[in-house]
Amino acid sequence: MGRGRIRARLRLSQLYTFTCLRPPLDDVEGSEGYTRLVYCNQPHMHQKKPLKYRANYISTTKYNFFTFLPKALFEQFNRVANIYFLIAALLSLTPLSPFTPVSMLLPLTIVVGVSMAKEALEDWHRFMQDKEVNSRKVSVHKGDGVFDYRPWEKIRVGDVVKVEKDGFFPADLLFLSSSYEDGICYVETMNLDGETNLKVKRSLETTSSLDDDESFKNFTGTIKCEDPNPSLYTFVGNIEYERQVFALDPSQILLRDSKLRNTTFVYGVVIFTGHDSKVMQNSTTSPSKRSRVEKKMDKIIFILFAILLTISVMSSIGFAVKLKFQAPDWWYLKPKDTDAYFNPSKPLLPGLAHLVTALILYGYLIPISLYLSIEVVKFLQAIFINQDIHMYDEESGIPAKARTSNLNEELGQVDTILSDKTGTLTCNQMDFLKCSIAGTAYGVRSSEVELACAKQMAMDLEDENEDILSVPKHKNITPEIELETVITSKDEKDNKHVIKGFSFEDSRLMEGNWLQEPNVDVISLFFRILAVCHTAIPELNSETGDVTYEAESPDEGAFLVAAREFGFEFCRRTQSSVFIREIYHSSGQPIEREYKILNLLDFTSKRKRMSVIVRDEDGQIFLFCKGADSIIFDRLSKNGRVYEEATTGHLNEYGEAGLRTLALAYRKLDESEYTSWNNEFLKAKTSIAADREVMLERISDVMEKDLILVGATAVEDKLQKGVPQCIDKLAQAGLKIWVLTGDKMETAINIGFACSLLRQGMKQICITALNSDAVAQDARQVIKENILNQFTNASQMIKLEKDPHAAFALIIDGKALTYALEDDMKLHFLELAVGCASVICCRVSPKQKALVTRLVKEGTGKTTLAIGDGANDVGMIQEADIGVGISGVEGMQAVMASDFSIAQFRFLERLLVVHGHWCYKRIAQMICYFFYKNIAFGLTLFYFEAFAGFSGQSVYDDWYMLSFNVVLTALPVISLGVFEQDVSSEICLQFPALYQQGPKNLFFDWLRIFGWIGNGVYSSIIIFILNIIIFCDQAFRPEGQTADMAVVGATMFTCIIWVVNVQIALYISHFTWIQHLFIWGSIATWYLFLLLYGMVPPTISGNSYQILVEALAPAPIFWTTTLLVTVTCNIAYFTHISYQRCIKPMDHHVIQEIKYYKKDVEDQHMWTRERSKARQKTKIGFTARVEAKMRHLKVKFNRKASTFTGKPVATPLQQSP
């Protein structure tokens, strides 16, 4: 690139106080855990052991070419039914089998083969996504100062790579130099810790001169460092370069999958590659997940195995008894011609042999095609999810994708959602919306929370309009209601130019009109604080001339944009000064002012404030401070509280509107006071003692006191489109929502307010750990006891709370969470968390996210869903029962580790409430029906064998039995699993409480399962008894002959086909032409099969030759028996569903009746009332927020009215919402 580097004048190392002395040099060579040796620019040195390190190739697949066959077979035969059928298929090769080998081997081969093919197809998609990442290109040093592009997977340890602006780092790199003169670069770590604000990285001064490609021609060095580990925020090592040894720390490490921003290029040496990189060390192997329905299905199969074994033992005993006592009299069996399987004198061995025969004969109780049918159904369900146009994001062009179909039904049973924040809930875009200056509130635009709240209240007031008219009207009460109406009716009529980060509207401050306001000096000071108190860097766009700001946080950027729009533009920064262009000056001309930066006191989650000490052009020294209102108010001087009361009221209003607030204050300093303080500050700053941070904090506290309040800001954190509505709908569906974020506590709390996980009046339980800097040895135990006390006190407070509307929110930081997740603490933490309406975990590491997810999953025993968009979310996505990845623009790590991927958080509502509800009910109903039809069919074999003296004789032809599950009943049950809908998607969204049918497992509980098993037993008894009674002694042909076994078997099988297909027709709620085709087509297929099979020569068809044409069709008794058996078998289920719908209807039954009779159109009021009933009572979401505000308004309304009437006024508003 030659010498085209940026000569940046700014040295951040001289500006930021968090830049401090490098750690002392430690000899890490040879220590346990510190054995890695890297030869810079000499990758060939790492080709042999012990220096042969992993390649940079990554894989997230479950299989590879060599492991697919053994692992896939193991997965298939991990299913108990498949093991049974494998054994049965092998036994069918012996004389003990009542069936031909092909009738046993063919279904097993089809089932296992199709399932393995599906697994291969899904893993192929993962492989292609891995290939996309591994094929990314980056510039690598080839030698002699020449760089060339190479795929990521070809990068080796020791390579020197050159990453260009907006590129991702291909591996963990040691940062050598950049396009900036002082060796800094900006890095976005969203994929690692979820934060979008930029981090500053600094190279060693000794390597910062390696500023172009040619510089690396003879570059060499040796790095000795820690071994691969998952810690994202630590690094220990050193580099030997030019015969000197330099210590390395995390500020020189560029981690894989982080992104280079606002820096033209950087050079780095590869330290960790592939699965050795820190981000991959934080990921775990893709687990094999199984749904709860499938696990329960295994238990049902074990029950059927028990039934199978029981009737097989009964059959074996019956055969032995018959053989012992009756067979000697059966001369036609030639009892004297004995063998191992027939010996009346020794019935024990034949009885044991018959046990094997019976186990094979009654094997149709176990539905072999169930697994295959479920695989097919889930695959088709996944296609419907992928093709859902309502989950397609038009902006990015990304659809929803089911990356595995094994967990479709699990989507309908979710109890707890664990969500990342940044990039998942929020866009991390802040808009300056309101402010309070000198006790006066400015800003007329309503927040998203206010608009939604007012909209809901207007709807409720409209419903009660007639009743409200009867309330005595007082002119003093009217403004209360009108205030809400103003908010409701507010719409944005002016289509002004949209300014990113600035949504403020108030003519009193815009266009310089603030100069006409009272307290103009305070207002100008407010704007100066916004423009000066920050760490941002301005960037001038040479093409447009616009200035953009690179800030450490999005709200800081919003403040600068607001200051610019108010006429105080932050235009440039030097090493020691910031320059502000004041547009609306009293002279009428813009002027530029310089403020010298004397000190910067950083914002931390503990301090909750940031201050800057500056000297203006007049030589006066000021401290400008912004921070949490509780912190600032505690530090105000007596004469600095003039606006405190008014500002506090405005802050409460802003908080209620879901806005993020900060208070602004200042202090004027004397020269001597500042000089004395600064000496102490510099002494603490340069200290290398263990308590350095404590000293800095203490000295900062000394300066940040006796402040004068100026005002407060209110910014709106722009949530992703539809997030509040989605959370509200999920809450109404009865789902619990936890937020796990790497952000600081204040940020997370504000987001909680923005998306209505938190609200005014909700009692916040904040769990934090004591500061343990350089304290006694038993500090750990003291901290644990303190946290345990916080848990105990909070739990007690929740138990003693008597207000039914009271809501609690648990907020815990990462340090406290470290202790809370230990074995002796985690159950206390979980108990407290479950008792709270919402839970927010802050400053959590990727590993902690996974541990919290595991705790919730195992501790509650309920289904968990984790959703995130970055590599830092991979652990929890894989740990949860269901992992959902957001297909954002910032990498694909989360998506590749997920089970389902969506483009925006809002699509989670439809994925769960619609597809989850449908898939759960479809799979549950399908499995119950499958067991029913196999029991109804399989038990007839047992009854007939008992009827035939336990001879091991099947009443059905082998080909009938082979076609039963594979052909004749396969398609109707698949149509049930794919197309069934109890209600439409629109109804699912309007009645979110329907979702609770899944978590409560109403359609797959043991009562329903045994009910269907009982239905199968009932049907099998009716089918067998009626057929035997009718055909046993009745003439079948006109000539008076009775039916033979082939006729009885064909008739009985015909009855089974009719019974199970009519049963599924009664079971289905939503018919399409496909269901009709499959159900009635299956019955027609049976008759066609009988016709064609009867045409096959007798050597193959045997006794079934021409059976339909010559025997069954001409006989009226065949048709009447089929009709009688079909009606008798299904009358019981028809009676049951009629009783249930009329006497004890379920929620979806009521909705179906309303829709069928079109009451939703004829009686809108009734429909609205039913909709309001059909939501779970919740304390989070917009709905809960509106209800809480309405309760507050009712109290105010009643008080206002009572002041005029002398007694409380009873109004409809007094009813509980």
Side-chain angles (χ1 to χ4, degrees), residues 1060-1078:
V1060 298
N1061 279 287
V1062 170
Q1063 172 68 73
I1064 200 171
L1066 291 173
Y1067 200 20
I1068 290 175
S1069 301
H1070 176 72
F1071 269 101
T1072 66
W1073 65 267
I1074 298 176
Q1075 279 106 317
H1076 283 295
L1077 176 64
F1078 285 174

Side-chain angles (χ1 to χ4, degrees), residues 498 639 656 850:
V498 177
N639 62 348
E656 203 170 288

